[in-house]
Amino acid sequence: MSLVRTDYSLQKHEWGDSRRQRLKLPKIGDIPQPTIDYEKLRMLCSIEGLKGRDHTESSEEAHQEFMRNYQEIFAKPPKKSGYPNHSEKRNEIKSSTASVTNRATGKTSEVLKPTSKEYPIDTVTHDIRDYMPLLHKQRKSEDPAHVRLDNLRTLRKLLRKLPFERSLPDIEKIFSILQTFDFFKDKIPPKVLRELCVVGVLEQWKEPGFTVFGKVGLHMVLRGAVKPITDPHLNESNEVPDSRSSTPLLPEDNEKELVAGDCFGTLVKVSREQGSKIFSVVTVQPNCEFLKISSTDYMRVIEQIKQREHTEKVNLLLSCGQYQMWPKQPVLKVAELIEWMSAPPNSLLVSEKYKAPYIGFIKSGVCHVLKQVEVMHTHPNGQREKKTKQVVVGKLKESQSFSELSVLLDEPIDCTILTDKNVELGIIRKERITELDDDTKKLFQQSAEPTFGNLKKSDIQEEYINQKLKSEWSQFKRGVVMDVINSRGIRPGYGKWSMSSGKDKM
């Protein structure tokens, strides 16, 4: 009897069999891709002269032709793209390739061409340095020299845009960079400098030896170096120089140079004869770049700011009710005397029984008006005496004015004004009132009224009593609430656990 080995792995199991196995289909990625392009193989085999049914051996020409093209029958594996399932991105990458030939092997390969905007996520790259900035924050050097160079580089980049192309963030960035330079920070007010950032342009001189005339505007060197011709080379005072004075020239052997970050020229117009070299320089290096603010643009910006402020002052004056019926000419005269002022909370503007130093017109914010009152104060020993207290009798809000009569009549004011929040106001100082004519002063006296001057002494005392009662009632309520809260809680120093309550029990 012979033994027969049975291979159960080859048996077919029925559906009811307990050893049933599920049918596993291969994944699409597991299916091997064809390695031979049969269409091209068929074309190669059809070359005339190859060995076959009609020819016992191949001809030399057919053999050479087959050997030159036989590599084409192998199918190329699909290239992995950085944009799976997006044909548009793959086409974009293919369009940005260039052919490069290796001299050693003679083979030609394709490489990616750099585009105008190239980010690691947009191109297929295997360099880890391209992805590290996306994972970690870049550390910027705190060295002042490196920060200065970085600011100049950023400034050159932003100034390449035309003035009408710059956005508000661009202007704010230019403003913040210019404030890091001493001349712009110390000599130009911030509100003027912010407007000049809009009109500033980039000026380029490609060759050395050219004369840059500084009398047409202010220049700051952004790149390269220049040598001043005259002394001084910069109008730091922003005042119009005397046109009759001569222009002092520096000797040719002068070795002083202005590098990136230095300024020359003037912001105000200089009336000199044509060809004058005042505030001029000569380029020393090629490809010099400057920030230029022309004198014409500067004067136009100054006029626009003055006109804007004057209009704002006129609107503030007309917003006060007593000045709305004034003629136009007196309003314009008074608006020319107004200066801007800001005060933080709890600032004393004017004090009762003292002469006011200025007339105030509130632009924004709230002020408390206080008046003095005499009250009887009782000491713990029962003795009574008179004391002077201050009581809040009202508030001054936007579009209200104060202390006109005190300044015009040179009299003490009858109330105290204290700011509640940040207050912005326009003021006319006492010494500038003399610039007004008599008619305008009379208009002031006819239109102005004492601040809360209609209050009687009895009204002020009654208001003080009411406020005092409210304060005492609030303190009483707070004391009762605190006693209730602390009566059940063990808190040292509070309720029945305080030292005073313990002594009372003893």
Side-chain angles (χ1 to χ4, degrees), residues 133-276:
L134 301 179
L135 301 177
H136 302 284
K137 293 183 179 180
Q138 296 182 356
R139 295 182 179 178
K140 295 184 178 181
S141 175
E142 297 182 357
D143 186 6
H146 292 172
V147 173
R148 185 184 181 92
L149 290 176
D150 186 56
N151 288 339
L152 291 172
R153 193 180 302 111
T154 304
L155 195 59
R156 289 167 48 202
K157 179 180 178 182
L158 294 175
L159 290 175
R160 286 191 177 93
K161 296 182 180 180
L162 297 177
F164 61 86
E165 295 178 340
R166 296 169 194 162
S167 61
L168 183 59
D170 294 339
I171 296 173
E172 291 296 329
K173 185 64 177 178
I174 296 174
F175 172 73
S176 62
I177 292 177
L178 291 182
Q179 279 195 319
T180 61
F181 296 92
D182 295 337
F183 178 81
F184 294 98
K185 183 179 179 181
D186 301 334
K187 304 298 181 181
I188 304 178
K191 59 182 178 181
V192 178
L193 181 59
R194 182 175 275 103
E195 298 289 340
L196 294 178
C197 294
V198 182
V199 298
V201 295
L202 182 68
E203 193 175 77
Q204 298 178 340
W205 296 80
K206 295 186 177 180
E207 296 182 6
F210 279 92
T211 302
V212 183
F213 292 94
K215 66 178 182 179
V216 297
L218 177 68
H219 299 71
M220 185 176 76
V221 183
L222 301 179
R223 184 182 181 185
V226 296
K227 181 182 293 186
I229 299 177
T230 61
D231 184 28
H233 60 273
L234 177 63
N235 185 11
E236 297 185 6
S237 61
N238 289 334
E239 296 180 356
V240 181
D242 188 5
S243 59
R244 295 172 296 179
S245 61
S246 59
T247 302
L249 299 177
L250 294 174
E252 296 182 356
D253 57 352
N254 176 39
E255 298 181 356
K256 182 179 180 180
E257 289 188 357
L258 304 179
V259 295
D262 296 332
C263 298
F264 65 92
T266 177
L267 283 174
V268 296
K269 288 186 177 180
V270 179
S271 57
R272 292 293 180 96
E273 64 276 6
Q274 190 174 4
S276 174

Side-chain angles (χ1 to χ4, degrees), residues 89-137:
K89 297 295 183 179
R90 286 197 295 267
N91 294 335
E92 180 181 348
I93 294 178
K94 289 181 180 180
S95 63
S96 61
T97 58
S99 299
V100 177
T101 304
N102 192 338
R103 295 182 179 179
T105 59
K107 294 183 180 180
T108 302
S109 59
E110 292 184 348
V111 296
L112 288 172
K113 296 187 295 184
T115 57
S116 59
K117 277 189 176 181
E118 183 174 339
Y119 300 96
I121 199 171
D122 290 341
T123 58
V124 179
T125 175
H126 302 285
D127 192 346
I128 192 173
R129 292 174 296 181
D130 296 335
Y131 297 94
M132 292 303 294
L134 301 179
L135 301 177
H136 302 284
K137 293 183 179 180

Side-chain angles (χ1 to χ4, degrees), residues 226-377:
V226 296
K227 181 182 293 186
I229 299 177
T230 61
D231 184 28
H233 60 273
L234 177 63
N235 185 11
E236 297 185 6
S237 61
N238 289 334
E239 296 180 356
V240 181
D242 188 5
S243 59
R244 295 172 296 179
S245 61
S246 59
T247 302
L249 299 177
L250 294 174
E252 296 182 356
D253 57 352
N254 176 39
E255 298 181 356
K256 182 179 180 180
E257 289 188 357
L258 304 179
V259 295
D262 296 332
C263 298
F264 65 92
T266 177
L267 283 174
V268 296
K269 288 186 177 180
V270 179
S271 57
R272 292 293 180 96
E273 64 276 6
Q274 190 174 4
S276 174
K277 295 184 178 180
I278 184 173
F279 304 132
S280 298
V281 298
V282 175
T283 58
V284 177
Q285 299 179 2
N287 299 323
C288 293
E289 296 182 359
F290 309 100
L291 162 64
K292 178 183 176 182
I293 301 174
S294 67
S295 302
T296 306
D297 292 336
Y298 173 75
M299 298 304 297
R300 186 176 70 251
V301 166
I302 294 297
E303 290 298 325
Q304 289 177 354
I305 292 176
K306 288 182 179 180
Q307 185 63 32
R308 191 185 309 147
E309 289 185 352
H310 184 72
T311 304
E312 194 173 359
K313 293 174 182 178
V314 171
N315 294 336
L316 174 62
L317 193 62
L318 293 177
S319 64
C320 301
Q322 63 268 33
Y323 305 109
Q324 293 179 356
M325 303 303 296
W326 275 29
K328 185 177 180 180
Q329 290 300 326
V331 171
L332 296 178
K333 291 180 181 179
V334 174
E336 292 178 356
L337 305 180
I338 294 179
E339 303 174 11
W340 295 117
M341 173 183 171
S342 59
N346 298 324
S347 297
L348 182 64
L349 300 181
V350 293
S351 183
E352 188 176 355
K353 298 182 179 180
Y354 288 91
K355 296 179 181 180
Y358 47 74
I359 300 174
F361 307 91
I362 299 178
K363 180 182 177 183
S364 63
V366 179
C367 296
H368 291 298
V369 180
L370 298 87
K371 286 201 172 186
Q372 295 179 358
V373 61
E374 291 184 351
V375 297
M376 297 301 296
H377 179 70

